[in-house]
Amino acid sequence: MPTRRMSSNQHKSSQRMIPAVTFTGTAEEGAIGPSFGIVDIGASKSGYLFRVALPGIRCNRCNLKCNIERDGRVHIEGVVMESEFLKNSSKVFEMKEQGLCPPGPFTITFNLPGSVDPRLCSPSFRPDGILEVVVLKHRVPIISAEGMFEKWEESAVPQP
Amino acid sequence: MGEQTPNPTRPVPHPEEDLIPPDPLLDSNTFIHIDDDDVIPNPDPLQTHKPDSGGDVITPNNPTPLKPNESDLDDDVSITNPTPLKTTRPGSDSKGSKSKRQPEEMAERPEWLPLDWRIEVRMRTSGATAGSYDRYYISPSGRKFRSKTEVLHFLETGSTKKRKADADGMPPASSKNQKDKKPKRKRGDFSGVDFDYRNPPQNVTWTLTNASHDIWTPAVDEGVTPEHVKRTWDTAFSCITELEVKK
């Protein structure tokens, strides 16, 4: 875990088991941008949900990618763009306080609790800057001749 | 979905008047696209005696098959509002021949249609083809189809075929929004999904290709996944997630 300054309530949640999350690029420097790259992971019977706080990169040029591996490894990358406002403003601002994630490329990497089928994924990047992704576990259904689901095949999934 | 057997108790219609050979009319969905086929320029005014029922819809809702003679037909069929320009009895000799089908004829239950389905014959009220009739097949759940091909496909696979456009020229509503396009399946119905559950790729990269519409494009080994493959993934995804709903 990179060193990050955390507000008190975030610190409380860090008491619980939090999977290792690694950052590179500006997300790592983002020690000063506490909300960038914060990850939630949930599990259901059929899959996993992860939520990542990615404020300020919901634009096409941010080139957000989310690579999901079969063994459950998730690798998110993108670029934090420089503020259009600061760039275009006729006035030059001398920054007095910098708490947001600085511009530049970043990656965020973490593991889901189990193996997944990376095709069965429903990513959604909400307008509020939270990336929410559901990925289903890798399981093989047994399907009847009529095409109806019967049950999940047991231990058919080769664990990598 | 299993095969539906045609009604075994269906009486044999009078051959000279009511036997509608299913093939030439129904074997394809041509009548949907070829408007001339549906034009009924001279509907029988004898059938127009229910003008106050306020619609142009014939709905033989009754699952019992239509009786072949006309007086019985009246119980099941109401036709209003056809332009009574000329009297041409259905079945009587008219040079309109087979291609100009009378609404009564169109309301006949075809052999291949399961008994719990309804038929609706609707007259076009506007446009260049006003006065012509369209036939719809309505499933027990209320889903509407325009052709035998579509119905049989639905019965077989439980899913609807993607259509290029409605007869009205309207694109199918589902094509607008990716999230809406999943056909409603029964829970546990995995049929017709060509998905290899056993062998997922090592990894898939999902790229946010349109941030404002939240559109993600998957790629396996740098090769962007074709749209139809992605749709299959979507279907498999919803089949599985449906399993867990309300459990």
Side-chain angles (χ1 to χ4, degrees):
Chain A
M1 280 285 279
T3 327
R4 299 170 70 96
R5 196 194 304 155
M6 287 189 173
S7 66
S8 57
N9 59 339
Q10 280 168 341
H11 187 72
K12 197 171 137 203
S13 70
S14 73
Q15 306 289 359
R16 282 181 280 139
M17 236 315 255
I18 286 190
V21 181
T22 58
F23 302 89
T24 69
T26 58
E28 187 177 24
E29 296 169 39
I32 49 171
S35 69
F36 194 89
I38 297 288
V39 179
D40 270 3
I41 295 174
S44 77
K45 238 196 295 186
S46 61
Y48 304 108
L49 161 77
F50 59 85
R51 310 171 75 223
V52 188
L54 297 170
I57 65 157
R58 194 172 177 272
C59 70
N60 289 336
R61 286 181 305 139
C62 294
N63 205 12
L64 183 63
K65 286 184 199 300
C66 181
N67 183 275
I68 299 176
E69 291 181 30
R70 211 158 67 172
D71 63 4
R73 190 157 187 81
V74 177
H75 187 79
I76 297 167
E77 63 178 62
V79 181
V80 179
M81 302 303 290
E82 204 174 341
S83 160
E84 293 290 322
F85 184 79
L86 292 179
K87 232 168 37 182
N88 297 335
S89 174
S90 53
K91 298 206 169 68
V92 176
F93 291 93
E94 185 195 334
M95 301 310 290
K96 301 292 190 188
E97 169 88 32
Q98 276 202 296
L100 295 181
C101 191
F106 68 91
T107 73
I108 300 169
T109 305
F110 54 92
N111 286 309
L112 297 173
S115 65
V116 297
D117 186 331
R119 297 167 297 175
L120 301 178
C121 169
S122 143
S124 162
F125 196 13
R126 304 188 331 200
D128 60 6
I130 304 289
L131 172 67
E132 282 187 333
V133 183
V134 172
V135 200
L136 300 188
K137 294 174 182 172
H138 181 202
R139 291 183 297 178
V140 179
I142 297 175
I143 299 170
S144 73
E146 290 80 37
M148 298 302 288
F149 172 83
E150 285 181 346
K151 58 177 180 174
W152 293 105
E153 205 172 274
E154 279 175 43
S155 69
V157 177
Q159 293 296 330
Chain B
M1 244 178 234
E3 299 240 333
Q4 309 276 347
T5 49
N7 176 18
T9 65
R10 187 180 191 276
V12 178
H14 296 172
E16 71 280 7
E17 180 173 342
D18 292 288
L19 181 64
I20 303 169
D23 312 58
L25 297 176
L26 303 167
D27 215 12
S28 70
N29 55 1
T30 46
F31 79 88
I32 286 167
H33 302 295
I34 302 170
D35 292 334
D36 288 348
D37 245 18
D38 291 331
V39 172
I40 301 167
N42 305 313
D44 185 2
L46 293 176
Q47 298 293 323
T48 67
H49 57 275
K50 290 186 183 175
D52 52 350
S53 59
D56 50 3
V57 176
I58 308 164
T59 311
N61 207 348
N62 196 334
T64 56
L66 294 178
K67 291 281 169 47
N69 63 63
E70 285 184 25
S71 59
D72 279 314
L73 203 63
D74 291 341
D75 293 338
D76 295 311
V77 176
S78 72
I79 309 167
T80 63
N81 214 21
T83 43
L85 294 176
K86 200 179 152 197
T87 63
T88 308
R89 286 178 54 84
S92 72
D93 182 38
S94 70
K95 59 179 166 48
S97 79
K98 275 180 189 170
S99 67
K100 308 267 193 252
R101 278 170 297 146
Q102 302 297 325
E104 300 80 14
E105 207 176 297
M106 292 170 77
E108 274 271 351
R109 173 172 294 275
E111 295 280 350
W112 49 265
L113 192 69
L115 275 182
D116 47 354
W117 285 54
R118 289 190 298 126
I119 298 173
E120 189 178 277
V121 177
R122 189 172 273 277
M123 191 181 73
R124 298 187 189 171
T125 54
S126 62
T129 58
S132 63
Y133 289 84
D134 292 318
R135 167 158 55 185
Y136 299 91
Y137 306 102
I138 299 163
S139 78
S141 63
R143 200 187 264 265
K144 210 182 236 188
F145 297 83
R146 304 185 62 106
S147 73
K148 179 186 181 184
T149 317
E150 288 179 4
V151 172
L152 295 185
H153 179 83
F154 178 77
L155 289 172
E156 207 167 80
T157 67
S159 69
T160 50
K161 246 182 189 169
K162 207 187 166 202
R163 282 179 297 165
K164 284 208 171 62
D166 232 9
D168 311 328
M170 298 290 288
S174 54
S175 72
K176 284 275 196 283
N177 188 338
Q178 286 198 316
K179 310 238 154 154
D180 289 346
K181 85 165 70 176
K182 295 159 198 159
K184 263 281 178 245
R185 288 171 171 268
K186 269 198 274 176
R187 191 201 301 178
D189 180 9
F190 278 52
S191 63
V193 185
D194 179 23
F195 188 84
D196 181 4
Y197 295 92
R198 197 173 300 276
N199 300 303
Q202 199 58 48
N203 68 80
V204 175
T205 301
W206 295 80
T207 303
L208 182 63
T209 45
N210 185 328
S212 43
H213 291 98
D214 196 22
I215 293 172
W216 292 78
T217 306
V220 181
D221 298 332
E222 303 294 315
V224 173
T225 307
E227 185 59 31
H228 72 275
V229 175
K230 193 194 172 208
R231 272 202 297 275
T232 306
W233 296 3
D234 286 346
T235 310
F237 183 93
S238 49
C239 281
I240 294 170
T241 46
E242 268 294 301
L243 287 175
E244 237 181 66
V245 173
K246 284 186 284 180
K247 263 198 173 175

mmCIF file with all atom_site columns, all heavy atoms in Angstrom, chain B residues 84-102:
data_model
loop_
_atom_site.group_PDB
_atom_site.id
_atom_site.type_symbol
_atom_site.label_atom_id
_atom_site.label_alt_id
_atom_site.label_comp_id
_atom_site.label_asym_id
_atom_site.label_entity_id
_atom_site.label_seq_id
_atom_site.pdbx_PDB_ins_code
_atom_site.Cartn_x
_atom_site.Cartn_y
_atom_site.Cartn_z
_atom_site.occupancy
_atom_site.B_iso_or_equiv
_atom_site.pdbx_formal_charge
_atom_site.auth_seq_id
_atom_site.auth_comp_id
_atom_site.auth_asym_id
_atom_site.auth_atom_id
_atom_site.pdbx_PDB_model_num
ATOM 1   N N   . PRO B 1 84  ? -66.468 1.339   -47.663 1.00 0.00 ? 84  PRO B N   1
ATOM 2   C CA  . PRO B 1 84  ? -67.418 0.458   -48.356 1.00 0.00 ? 84  PRO B CA  1
ATOM 3   C C   . PRO B 1 84  ? -67.731 0.955   -49.752 1.00 0.00 ? 84  PRO B C   1
ATOM 4   O O   . PRO B 1 84  ? -68.847 1.353   -50.049 1.00 0.00 ? 84  PRO B O   1
ATOM 5   C CB  . PRO B 1 84  ? -68.655 0.515   -47.455 1.00 0.00 ? 84  PRO B CB  1
ATOM 6   C CG  . PRO B 1 84  ? -68.565 1.839   -46.769 1.00 0.00 ? 84  PRO B CG  1
ATOM 7   C CD  . PRO B 1 84  ? -67.155 2.316   -46.823 1.00 0.00 ? 84  PRO B CD  1
ATOM 8   N N   . LEU B 1 85  ? -66.767 0.918   -50.587 1.00 0.00 ? 85  LEU B N   1
ATOM 9   C CA  . LEU B 1 85  ? -66.967 1.449   -51.917 1.00 0.00 ? 85  LEU B CA  1
ATOM 10  C C   . LEU B 1 85  ? -67.729 0.492   -52.808 1.00 0.00 ? 85  LEU B C   1
ATOM 11  O O   . LEU B 1 85  ? -68.548 0.869   -53.604 1.00 0.00 ? 85  LEU B O   1
ATOM 12  C CB  . LEU B 1 85  ? -65.613 1.758   -52.564 1.00 0.00 ? 85  LEU B CB  1
ATOM 13  C CG  . LEU B 1 85  ? -64.827 2.891   -51.903 1.00 0.00 ? 85  LEU B CG  1
ATOM 14  C CD1 . LEU B 1 85  ? -63.485 3.044   -52.569 1.00 0.00 ? 85  LEU B CD1 1
ATOM 15  C CD2 . LEU B 1 85  ? -65.630 4.180   -51.957 1.00 0.00 ? 85  LEU B CD2 1
ATOM 16  N N   . LYS B 1 86  ? -67.459 -0.747  -52.659 1.00 0.00 ? 86  LYS B N   1
ATOM 17  C CA  . LYS B 1 86  ? -67.976 -1.703  -53.607 1.00 0.00 ? 86  LYS B CA  1
ATOM 18  C C   . LYS B 1 86  ? -68.200 -3.004  -52.876 1.00 0.00 ? 86  LYS B C   1
ATOM 19  O O   . LYS B 1 86  ? -67.501 -3.305  -51.915 1.00 0.00 ? 86  LYS B O   1
ATOM 20  C CB  . LYS B 1 86  ? -66.936 -1.908  -54.715 1.00 0.00 ? 86  LYS B CB  1
ATOM 21  C CG  . LYS B 1 86  ? -67.483 -2.497  -55.993 1.00 0.00 ? 86  LYS B CG  1
ATOM 22  C CD  . LYS B 1 86  ? -66.340 -2.605  -56.974 1.00 0.00 ? 86  LYS B CD  1
ATOM 23  C CE  . LYS B 1 86  ? -66.584 -3.749  -57.942 1.00 0.00 ? 86  LYS B CE  1
ATOM 24  N NZ  . LYS B 1 86  ? -65.361 -4.138  -58.626 1.00 0.00 ? 86  LYS B NZ  1
ATOM 25  N N   . THR B 1 87  ? -69.155 -3.736  -53.290 1.00 0.00 ? 87  THR B N   1
ATOM 26  C CA  . THR B 1 87  ? -69.413 -4.979  -52.580 1.00 0.00 ? 87  THR B CA  1
ATOM 27  C C   . THR B 1 87  ? -68.742 -6.128  -53.298 1.00 0.00 ? 87  THR B C   1
ATOM 28  O O   . THR B 1 87  ? -69.070 -6.475  -54.416 1.00 0.00 ? 87  THR B O   1
ATOM 29  C CB  . THR B 1 87  ? -70.920 -5.259  -52.507 1.00 0.00 ? 87  THR B CB  1
ATOM 30  O OG1 . THR B 1 87  ? -71.409 -5.421  -53.823 1.00 0.00 ? 87  THR B OG1 1
ATOM 31  C CG2 . THR B 1 87  ? -71.629 -4.111  -51.832 1.00 0.00 ? 87  THR B CG2 1
ATOM 32  N N   . THR B 1 88  ? -67.807 -6.682  -52.606 1.00 0.00 ? 88  THR B N   1
ATOM 33  C CA  . THR B 1 88  ? -67.177 -7.886  -53.117 1.00 0.00 ? 88  THR B CA  1
ATOM 34  C C   . THR B 1 88  ? -67.164 -8.884  -51.979 1.00 0.00 ? 88  THR B C   1
ATOM 35  O O   . THR B 1 88  ? -66.506 -8.683  -50.979 1.00 0.00 ? 88  THR B O   1
ATOM 36  C CB  . THR B 1 88  ? -65.740 -7.599  -53.548 1.00 0.00 ? 88  THR B CB  1
ATOM 37  O OG1 . THR B 1 88  ? -65.756 -6.472  -54.423 1.00 0.00 ? 88  THR B OG1 1
ATOM 38  C CG2 . THR B 1 88  ? -65.159 -8.788  -54.268 1.00 0.00 ? 88  THR B CG2 1
ATOM 39  N N   . ARG B 1 89  ? -67.911 -9.902  -52.120 1.00 0.00 ? 89  ARG B N   1
ATOM 40  C CA  . ARG B 1 89  ? -67.955 -10.871 -51.035 1.00 0.00 ? 89  ARG B CA  1
ATOM 41  C C   . ARG B 1 89  ? -66.634 -11.615 -50.950 1.00 0.00 ? 89  ARG B C   1
ATOM 42  O O   . ARG B 1 89  ? -66.067 -11.993 -51.967 1.00 0.00 ? 89  ARG B O   1
ATOM 43  C CB  . ARG B 1 89  ? -69.080 -11.872 -51.264 1.00 0.00 ? 89  ARG B CB  1
ATOM 44  C CG  . ARG B 1 89  ? -70.447 -11.295 -51.000 1.00 0.00 ? 89  ARG B CG  1
ATOM 45  C CD  . ARG B 1 89  ? -71.478 -12.339 -51.294 1.00 0.00 ? 89  ARG B CD  1
ATOM 46  N NE  . ARG B 1 89  ? -71.204 -13.572 -50.565 1.00 0.00 ? 89  ARG B NE  1
ATOM 47  C CZ  . ARG B 1 89  ? -71.584 -13.779 -49.321 1.00 0.00 ? 89  ARG B CZ  1
ATOM 48  N NH1 . ARG B 1 89  ? -72.226 -12.847 -48.657 1.00 0.00 ? 89  ARG B NH1 1
ATOM 49  N NH2 . ARG B 1 89  ? -71.331 -14.916 -48.729 1.00 0.00 ? 89  ARG B NH2 1
ATOM 50  N N   . PRO B 1 90  ? -66.174 -11.829 -49.768 1.00 0.00 ? 90  PRO B N   1
ATOM 51  C CA  . PRO B 1 90  ? -64.969 -12.631 -49.658 1.00 0.00 ? 90  PRO B CA  1
ATOM 52  C C   . PRO B 1 90  ? -65.278 -14.039 -50.117 1.00 0.00 ? 90  PRO B C   1
ATOM 53  O O   . PRO B 1 90  ? -66.317 -14.594 -49.773 1.00 0.00 ? 90  PRO B O   1
ATOM 54  C CB  . PRO B 1 90  ? -64.651 -12.592 -48.169 1.00 0.00 ? 90  PRO B CB  1
ATOM 55  C CG  . PRO B 1 90  ? -65.956 -12.292 -47.523 1.00 0.00 ? 90  PRO B CG  1
ATOM 56  C CD  . PRO B 1 90  ? -66.761 -11.483 -48.514 1.00 0.00 ? 90  PRO B CD  1
ATOM 57  N N   . GLY B 1 91  ? -64.437 -14.571 -50.841 1.00 0.00 ? 91  GLY B N   1
ATOM 58  C CA  . GLY B 1 91  ? -64.669 -15.932 -51.292 1.00 0.00 ? 91  GLY B CA  1
ATOM 59  C C   . GLY B 1 91  ? -65.444 -15.965 -52.592 1.00 0.00 ? 91  GLY B C   1
ATOM 60  O O   . GLY B 1 91  ? -65.341 -16.924 -53.340 1.00 0.00 ? 91  GLY B O   1
ATOM 61  N N   . SER B 1 92  ? -66.246 -14.956 -52.820 1.00 0.00 ? 92  SER B N   1
ATOM 62  C CA  . SER B 1 92  ? -66.894 -14.922 -54.116 1.00 0.00 ? 92  SER B CA  1
ATOM 63  C C   . SER B 1 92  ? -65.844 -14.550 -55.157 1.00 0.00 ? 92  SER B C   1
ATOM 64  O O   . SER B 1 92  ? -64.769 -14.065 -54.838 1.00 0.00 ? 92  SER B O   1
ATOM 65  C CB  . SER B 1 92  ? -68.020 -13.895 -54.121 1.00 0.00 ? 92  SER B CB  1
ATOM 66  O OG  . SER B 1 92  ? -67.481 -12.599 -54.108 1.00 0.00 ? 92  SER B OG  1
ATOM 67  N N   . ASP B 1 93  ? -66.220 -14.766 -56.369 1.00 0.00 ? 93  ASP B N   1
ATOM 68  C CA  . ASP B 1 93  ? -65.207 -14.605 -57.398 1.00 0.00 ? 93  ASP B CA  1
ATOM 69  C C   . ASP B 1 93  ? -64.854 -13.144 -57.576 1.00 0.00 ? 93  ASP B C   1
ATOM 70  O O   . ASP B 1 93  ? -65.669 -12.327 -57.973 1.00 0.00 ? 93  ASP B O   1
ATOM 71  C CB  . ASP B 1 93  ? -65.726 -15.192 -58.716 1.00 0.00 ? 93  ASP B CB  1
ATOM 72  C CG  . ASP B 1 93  ? -64.673 -15.079 -59.797 1.00 0.00 ? 93  ASP B CG  1
ATOM 73  O OD1 . ASP B 1 93  ? -63.486 -15.258 -59.468 1.00 0.00 ? 93  ASP B OD1 1
ATOM 74  O OD2 . ASP B 1 93  ? -65.048 -14.789 -60.934 1.00 0.00 ? 93  ASP B OD2 1
ATOM 75  N N   . SER B 1 94  ? -63.682 -12.826 -57.244 1.00 0.00 ? 94  SER B N   1
ATOM 76  C CA  . SER B 1 94  ? -63.215 -11.480 -57.517 1.00 0.00 ? 94  SER B CA  1
ATOM 77  C C   . SER B 1 94  ? -61.844 -11.605 -58.118 1.00 0.00 ? 94  SER B C   1
ATOM 78  O O   . SER B 1 94  ? -61.077 -12.486 -57.757 1.00 0.00 ? 94  SER B O   1
ATOM 79  C CB  . SER B 1 94  ? -63.146 -10.650 -56.233 1.00 0.00 ? 94  SER B CB  1
ATOM 80  O OG  . SER B 1 94  ? -62.097 -11.122 -55.434 1.00 0.00 ? 94  SER B OG  1
ATOM 81  N N   . LYS B 1 95  ? -61.555 -10.731 -59.033 1.00 0.00 ? 95  LYS B N   1
ATOM 82  C CA  . LYS B 1 95  ? -60.270 -10.906 -59.682 1.00 0.00 ? 95  LYS B CA  1
ATOM 83  C C   . LYS B 1 95  ? -59.124 -10.452 -58.794 1.00 0.00 ? 95  LYS B C   1
ATOM 84  O O   . LYS B 1 95  ? -57.978 -10.457 -59.202 1.00 0.00 ? 95  LYS B O   1
ATOM 85  C CB  . LYS B 1 95  ? -60.244 -10.201 -61.028 1.00 0.00 ? 95  LYS B CB  1
ATOM 86  C CG  . LYS B 1 95  ? -60.510 -8.706  -60.976 1.00 0.00 ? 95  LYS B CG  1
ATOM 87  C CD  . LYS B 1 95  ? -60.416 -8.155  -62.392 1.00 0.00 ? 95  LYS B CD  1
ATOM 88  C CE  . LYS B 1 95  ? -60.937 -6.822  -62.614 1.00 0.00 ? 95  LYS B CE  1
ATOM 89  N NZ  . LYS B 1 95  ? -60.952 -5.668  -62.213 1.00 0.00 ? 95  LYS B NZ  1
ATOM 90  N N   . GLY B 1 96  ? -59.488 -10.049 -57.585 1.00 0.00 ? 96  GLY B N   1
ATOM 91  C CA  . GLY B 1 96  ? -58.428 -9.716  -56.646 1.00 0.00 ? 96  GLY B CA  1
ATOM 92  C C   . GLY B 1 96  ? -57.541 -10.906 -56.315 1.00 0.00 ? 96  GLY B C   1
ATOM 93  O O   . GLY B 1 96  ? -56.428 -10.728 -55.865 1.00 0.00 ? 96  GLY B O   1
ATOM 94  N N   . SER B 1 97  ? -58.061 -12.061 -56.497 1.00 0.00 ? 97  SER B N   1
ATOM 95  C CA  . SER B 1 97  ? -57.342 -13.314 -56.283 1.00 0.00 ? 97  SER B CA  1
ATOM 96  C C   . SER B 1 97  ? -56.772 -13.407 -54.869 1.00 0.00 ? 97  SER B C   1
ATOM 97  O O   . SER B 1 97  ? -57.192 -12.715 -53.952 1.00 0.00 ? 97  SER B O   1
ATOM 98  C CB  . SER B 1 97  ? -56.233 -13.493 -57.318 1.00 0.00 ? 97  SER B CB  1
ATOM 99  O OG  . SER B 1 97  ? -55.116 -12.716 -56.939 1.00 0.00 ? 97  SER B OG  1
ATOM 100 N N   . LYS B 1 98  ? -55.795 -14.240 -54.699 1.00 0.00 ? 98  LYS B N   1
ATOM 101 C CA  . LYS B 1 98  ? -55.306 -14.540 -53.354 1.00 0.00 ? 98  LYS B CA  1
ATOM 102 C C   . LYS B 1 98  ? -54.539 -13.381 -52.736 1.00 0.00 ? 98  LYS B C   1
ATOM 103 O O   . LYS B 1 98  ? -54.509 -13.233 -51.532 1.00 0.00 ? 98  LYS B O   1
ATOM 104 C CB  . LYS B 1 98  ? -54.367 -15.735 -53.421 1.00 0.00 ? 98  LYS B CB  1
ATOM 105 C CG  . LYS B 1 98  ? -55.086 -17.061 -53.367 1.00 0.00 ? 98  LYS B CG  1
ATOM 106 C CD  . LYS B 1 98  ? -54.039 -18.146 -53.439 1.00 0.00 ? 98  LYS B CD  1
ATOM 107 C CE  . LYS B 1 98  ? -54.686 -19.500 -53.611 1.00 0.00 ? 98  LYS B CE  1
ATOM 108 N NZ  . LYS B 1 98  ? -53.680 -20.502 -53.913 1.00 0.00 ? 98  LYS B NZ  1
ATOM 109 N N   . SER B 1 99  ? -53.891 -12.635 -53.567 1.00 0.00 ? 99  SER B N   1
ATOM 110 C CA  . SER B 1 99  ? -52.981 -11.655 -52.999 1.00 0.00 ? 99  SER B CA  1
ATOM 111 C C   . SER B 1 99  ? -53.735 -10.553 -52.271 1.00 0.00 ? 99  SER B C   1
ATOM 112 O O   . SER B 1 99  ? -53.206 -9.932  -51.359 1.00 0.00 ? 99  SER B O   1
ATOM 113 C CB  . SER B 1 99  ? -52.112 -11.055 -54.102 1.00 0.00 ? 99  SER B CB  1
ATOM 114 O OG  . SER B 1 99  ? -52.923 -10.282 -54.963 1.00 0.00 ? 99  SER B OG  1
ATOM 115 N N   . LYS B 1 100 ? -54.965 -10.292 -52.655 1.00 0.00 ? 100 LYS B N   1
ATOM 116 C CA  . LYS B 1 100 ? -55.745 -9.290  -51.923 1.00 0.00 ? 100 LYS B CA  1
ATOM 117 C C   . LYS B 1 100 ? -56.562 -10.021 -50.861 1.00 0.00 ? 100 LYS B C   1
ATOM 118 O O   . LYS B 1 100 ? -57.637 -10.535 -51.136 1.00 0.00 ? 100 LYS B O   1
ATOM 119 C CB  . LYS B 1 100 ? -56.689 -8.567  -52.885 1.00 0.00 ? 100 LYS B CB  1
ATOM 120 C CG  . LYS B 1 100 ? -55.981 -8.025  -54.107 1.00 0.00 ? 100 LYS B CG  1
ATOM 121 C CD  . LYS B 1 100 ? -55.565 -6.598  -53.899 1.00 0.00 ? 100 LYS B CD  1
ATOM 122 C CE  . LYS B 1 100 ? -55.145 -5.940  -55.183 1.00 0.00 ? 100 LYS B CE  1
ATOM 123 N NZ  . LYS B 1 100 ? -53.709 -5.724  -55.249 1.00 0.00 ? 100 LYS B NZ  1
ATOM 124 N N   . ARG B 1 101 ? -56.033 -10.023 -49.695 1.00 0.00 ? 101 ARG B N   1
ATOM 125 C CA  . ARG B 1 101 ? -56.697 -10.820 -48.681 1.00 0.00 ? 101 ARG B CA  1
ATOM 126 C C   . ARG B 1 101 ? -57.705 -10.004 -47.902 1.00 0.00 ? 101 ARG B C   1
ATOM 127 O O   . ARG B 1 101 ? -57.460 -8.851  -47.564 1.00 0.00 ? 101 ARG B O   1
ATOM 128 C CB  . ARG B 1 101 ? -55.660 -11.428 -47.734 1.00 0.00 ? 101 ARG B CB  1
ATOM 129 C CG  . ARG B 1 101 ? -55.060 -12.678 -48.339 1.00 0.00 ? 101 ARG B CG  1
ATOM 130 C CD  . ARG B 1 101 ? -53.900 -13.139 -47.535 1.00 0.00 ? 101 ARG B CD  1
ATOM 131 N NE  . ARG B 1 101 ? -52.841 -12.128 -47.540 1.00 0.00 ? 101 ARG B NE  1
ATOM 132 C CZ  . ARG B 1 101 ? -52.061 -11.910 -46.513 1.00 0.00 ? 101 ARG B CZ  1
ATOM 133 N NH1 . ARG B 1 101 ? -52.212 -12.599 -45.419 1.00 0.00 ? 101 ARG B NH1 1
ATOM 134 N NH2 . ARG B 1 101 ? -51.144 -10.985 -46.586 1.00 0.00 ? 101 ARG B NH2 1
ATOM 135 N N   . GLN B 1 102 ? -58.797 -10.619 -47.658 1.00 0.00 ? 102 GLN B N   1
ATOM 136 C CA  . GLN B 1 102 ? -59.835 -9.978  -46.862 1.00 0.00 ? 102 GLN B CA  1
ATOM 137 C C   . GLN B 1 102 ? -59.443 -10.062 -45.389 1.00 0.00 ? 102 GLN B C   1
ATOM 138 O O   . GLN B 1 102 ? -58.777 -11.005 -44.975 1.00 0.00 ? 102 GLN B O   1
ATOM 139 C CB  . GLN B 1 102 ? -61.166 -10.698 -47.080 1.00 0.00 ? 102 GLN B CB  1
ATOM 140 C CG  . GLN B 1 102 ? -61.603 -10.727 -48.522 1.00 0.00 ? 102 GLN B CG  1
ATOM 141 C CD  . GLN B 1 102 ? -61.841 -9.336  -49.063 1.00 0.00 ? 102 GLN B CD  1
ATOM 142 O OE1 . GLN B 1 102 ? -62.299 -8.463  -48.339 1.00 0.00 ? 102 GLN B OE1 1
ATOM 143 N NE2 . GLN B 1 102 ? -61.522 -9.139  -50.316 1.00 0.00 ? 102 GLN B NE2 1
#
